[in-house]
Amino acid sequence: MTGQKADKVVTAAFLVIGDEILSGRTKDKNIGFTADYLTSIGIDLREARIVPDDREEIAAAVNALRARYDYVFTSGGIGPTHDDITAECIAEAFGVPLILDPRAVAILEAHYPPGQFTPARQRMARIPEGADLIENKVSKAPGFRIGNVFVMAGVPAIMQAMMDAIAPTLATGKKMLSRTVAADMPESRIAERLARIQDAHPQTLIGSYPQADNGKFTTQIVIRSRDEAILTAAAEDVAKAVAELSG
């Protein structure tokens, strides 16, 4: 499917690859971006994982996630250094050779000055056989898609540009809509009412998110549904409960 709108729910997982994330040296910015981006186009991000630069763990995670979700998006580990092993792990997961892709070679040879397409940079042209390339408008080194798995750079600006490149090719479902009701009270005060409202509106998802400011507790209540009428009815019930408990 290419850019199709589906009535069904389209699901995805996001896999962040890199020791630097798990060690805390680098702070991940890609999960939040991806969650927002996919929600906005009608894809539900159902799971996010972070795995180290370990061949077996990367391949196992990719195979587990691609079997469970419509799409898998990965970031990290496709650069020029020895510890950038994502491409070979993806090739292993799919049981295909990792090749010096002539399309990627042509892109990078045109990008670097003569004599500067070094062996290290040639690593960025290694692509699993049969994969499609993902355009990289920022630094040219392409990502790739194989099956339902999209492999992108870890640098946020590059990853985000790659997401823009692949978005038109994705099948999307009906968007999740949301409303927020602010409650000037701790969530414990409204918890029982929210549970009853959730039971009365099973086609919604209702979450409460406590906040504290100078010792004062308040709650943001978020109601989500794919149906506007159902969402409105549930949000009105929540707002009524908040008003009654505030009185």
Side-chain angles (χ1 to χ4, degrees), residues 30-202:
N30 292 330
I31 294 176
F33 168 83
T34 302
D36 286 342
Y37 195 105
L38 295 180
T39 296
S40 73
I41 63 174
I43 297 175
D44 284 9
L45 183 63
R46 292 288 181 85
E47 184 173 347
R49 294 191 193 184
I50 303 174
V51 295
D53 294 312
D54 179 275
R55 286 174 171 78
E56 291 185 3
E57 291 200 39
I58 295 170
V62 167
N63 281 332
L65 295 172
R66 71 187 178 98
R68 186 172 182 181
Y69 302 104
D70 295 310
Y71 296 123
V72 178
F73 302 92
T74 82
S75 69
I78 57 172
T81 60
H82 72 281
D83 57 345
D84 288 316
I85 59 173
T86 297
E88 57 200 73
C89 295
I90 301 293
E92 179 180 330
F94 278 84
V96 299
L98 184 68
I99 64 170
L100 201 60
D101 189 286
R103 298 166 301 173
V105 169
I107 291 169
L108 291 168
E109 280 186 331
H111 175 63
Y112 290 109
Q116 295 301 307
F117 188 38
T118 63
R121 287 169 171 165
Q122 289 172 25
R123 287 177 56 85
M124 296 187 291
R126 299 178 311 150
I127 306 291
E129 189 172 64
D132 296 319
L133 300 186
I134 298 174
E135 182 184 14
N136 172 3
K137 291 184 177 180
V138 179
S139 63
K140 298 304 178 182
F144 60 87
R145 173 187 182 165
I146 182 167
N148 63 338
V149 179
F150 295 82
V151 179
M152 298 177 287
V155 177
I158 301 175
M159 180 266 177
Q160 292 169 20
M162 288 182 173
M163 186 66 79
D164 284 337
I166 65 178
T169 73
L170 301 174
T172 58
K174 195 172 183 181
K175 292 181 182 180
M176 183 69 79
L177 308 173
S178 69
R179 301 274 181 86
T180 300
V181 177
D184 192 24
M185 64 188 73
E187 64 175 349
S188 58
R189 188 171 170 185
I190 198 171
E192 291 185 10
R193 290 288 294 273
L194 290 181
R196 293 202 295 270
I197 295 169
Q198 178 70 87
D199 289 342
H201 299 278

Side-chain angles (χ1 to χ4, degrees), residues 179 181 193 197 201 223 228-244:
R179 301 274 181 86
V181 177
R193 290 288 294 273
I197 295 169
H201 299 278
I223 309 98
E228 183 73 43
I230 291 171
L231 177 66
T232 298
E236 288 175 350
D237 284 354
V238 170
K240 180 181 178 181
V242 169
E244 290 174 353

